[in-house]
Amino acid sequence: ITAGGTLAVEGGRLVTSAFDTGRGGDIVLRAPDIALHGGASVLAESRGRGDAGRVILEGGRVRIADATAASSASGQGAAGSI
């Protein structure tokens, strides 16, 4: 997701998941100002043998308050980078 100004995620969920052997997709947020708040979640996860994707936040200013940006693995796959 790309924005020319502020990219705000409030209380929403952006999720990619890998459930079998394939790699999960990446989540990329790109803007001059990124704000995650109000219980927002940006998650890349793996629940199988495939690796989770990455969470990439590219901004001049990134604020995370009362929110989550994570990559996790609960199966045999590896978590991605943040």
Side-chain angles (χ1 to χ4, degrees), residues 14-79:
L14 301 171
V15 180
T16 65
S17 298
F19 290 102
D20 198 7
T21 58
R23 184 179 175 280
D26 294 337
I27 297 175
V28 181
L29 303 181
R30 191 175 287 127
D33 185 22
I34 298 171
L36 307 177
H37 52 92
S41 297
V42 180
L43 306 170
E45 61 186 15
S46 171
R47 297 179 184 217
R49 293 177 288 174
D51 294 340
R54 300 173 298 164
V55 174
I56 301 167
L57 307 175
E58 294 181 357
R61 180 175 167 185
V62 177
R63 294 172 286 148
I64 301 174
D66 186 29
T68 303
S71 182
S72 67
S74 59
Q76 295 173 336

